[in-house]
Amino acid sequence: MVETFKNYIAGEWVSASDGAVIENLNPATGEVIGYFASATREDTLRAIAAAREALPAWAALPGPARGAILDKAAQIIHTRADELAETLTREEGKTLAESKAEVLRARDIFRYYAGEGFRAGGEVIPANTPETLLFTKSEPLGVVAVITPWNFPIAIPAWKIAPALVYGNTVVFKPASLAPHTALKLVEILVEAGVPAGVINLVVGSGSRVGDTLAESKDINGLSFTGSYAVGTKIYEKTARNFVRTQLEMGGKNPTIVLNDADLDLAVDIVVRGGFGLTGQACTATSRVIVEQGIADAFAQRLAEAARTLRVGDGLQSGVQMGPAVSAEQLQTDLDYVAIGKQEGARLIAGGEPLRSERGFFIQPTVFDDVQPTMRIAQEEIFGPVIGIIRAKDFDDAVEKANQIGYGLSAAIVTHDLQKALRFADRIEAGVVKINEPTSGVALQAPFGGFKASSANTFKEQGQAARAFYTRTKTVYVRYGF
Ligand code: NAD
């Protein structure tokens, strides 16, 4: 019997007002694993109103008390880590080890922001007049809409919701319809930890019903979105009309440069982890490898071998190194790009085929060589395990090719040459720069966000940087000498 799950609005678990549901599939088997209430526009408006009503009391709660609730949430995530990881793999497809790492990261995010309850404040500034106190107060921004993608269904909600709550905001949370179960469990945990009614609201549903209602609302004060460039830009047009503070973190087409002096084993390992880890379904995944001419043949051969030996399968099974595409549509997109790459004249040296023997949405890890920077497979985000090798004359040519792109999220270089590594950090147009590490994987305590079309370039996420987005500053002048 497949279970049906509800939304959480104003402190109650509720069905959609029109009774509609969304089907949740296991991408490794194609089986239906749950039905989720598909919120309507009316449900979404009710969630916004509940968040508005709950705001004054939550904002008035002392920071340490809000932090204590987050700390409790972290403890519950820790206790339920194995179960959460299994839920995540079952609906999103990544391997159990990848899911477990993501769940523990979410736990740590809640721990980190629990501490912020003790720290968040303002500053005292020297005044121009005697006996005057001049200071700033950090206030909550207000009601915040959180819209998240399916590829990190607990970590991304955590890195938006934890700072939102600890800084005194109330939240309307719309997770991606492809991975709603992990999101729902996170909300359950927040409720169990003591988050009051109305402070967190869950509205699973489509972009056109729930997403548009949130983006068009005059009753929200902030909107934090992670997802594709196409959706992000549409949201921005709507929120701008109401001056709603907006944070958009979007797609990537992340390069890894491999220089002639690189250790081949290390370079291949870094590219395999960055490009095939999480089935290539990470905003920071490596999709372009720009290799200096002298090492290019050897590197291409080794990367193709590594791609062929990766074990692809159901992420719940032990020994599996790469799970399926998240959906039949995503698998089709991956295969379409393989066809486009061939048509464009790139040379397929590994993979490129679906795994027909499996029931789910599987594709082989894929490598193209002789990719030109202007080809579509080098310019457009595929969001699958498809890596293109671009050959470069020298370091300068490699950096130029790396920057020849509209996106600017993450970029890596593999080299022992300190001068070139640091020049790369100076010249690369990306918000995250990795030296001898994969493009994917970031520290939760450091600022995170892209440049160019990867971001609205307004506010960074994570670490202390999140505070700027989730608070507003009031400046207070107190003259006490007359
Ligand atoms: P998506 O843009 O299709 O969806 C993201 C969210 O927006 C989902 O919850 C979706 O339902 C919602 N949405 C869809 N239409 C909407 C609308 N009209 N109004 C408001 N919301 C709407 O992205 P996805 O397929 O879920 O995720 C993959 C994308 O996310 C990739 O482009 C990837 O690079 C990006 N991503 C970026 C980061 C980052 O931090 N930069 C992290 C992870 C994923």
Side-chain angles (χ1 to χ4, degrees), residues 113 226 471:
Y113 285 107
T226 298
T471 59

Side-chain angles (χ1 to χ4, degrees), residues 107-119:
R107 173 201 64 191
D108 291 347
I109 289 167
F110 275 94
R111 277 188 183 157
Y112 178 90
Y113 285 107
E116 272 298 282
F118 289 101
R119 281 188 290 269

Side-chain angles (χ1 to χ4, degrees), residues 112-113 116 163 167 443-448 461-467:
Y112 178 90
Y113 285 107
E116 272 298 282
Y167 298 128
L444 63 95
Q445 67 275 30
F448 174 66
E461 302 204 84
Q462 306 202 33
Q464 297 291 300
R467 184 171 158 197

Side-chain angles (χ1 to χ4, degrees), residues 154-274:
I154 190 161
I156 293 180
W159 84 51
K160 294 181 189 295
I161 293 171
L165 292 180
V166 83
Y167 298 128
N169 303 277
T170 56
V171 174
V172 180
F173 170 32
K174 183 210 142 358
S177 307
L178 285 171
H181 201 181
T182 315
L184 182 140
K185 286 191 171 183
L186 178 63
V187 172
E188 258 175 25
I189 287 167
L190 291 171
V191 173
E192 189 188 334
V195 173
V199 172
I200 178 83
N201 300 274
L202 173 74
V203 277
V204 176
S206 70
S208 54
R209 294 213 296 191
V210 178
D212 281 349
T213 309
L214 290 173
E216 286 163 6
S217 173
K218 290 190 168 79
D219 292 324
I220 60 169
N221 304 96
L223 188 150
S224 180
F225 167 86
T226 298
S228 62
Y229 176 78
V231 172
T233 44
K234 278 192 208 141
I235 288 176
Y236 212 13
E237 285 169 12
K238 294 181 181 128
T239 54
R241 281 186 220 134
N242 297 322
F243 296 105
V244 168
R245 187 184 288 180
T246 304
Q247 176 176 56
L248 307 171
E249 288 305 327
M250 303 177 284
K253 191 74 189 171
N254 311 293
T256 295
I257 293 179
V258 179
L259 294 184
N260 282 339
D261 76 314
D263 176 324
L264 253 191
D265 288 337
L266 178 72
V268 171
D269 180 57
I270 282 174
V271 170
V272 165
R273 286 196 281 143

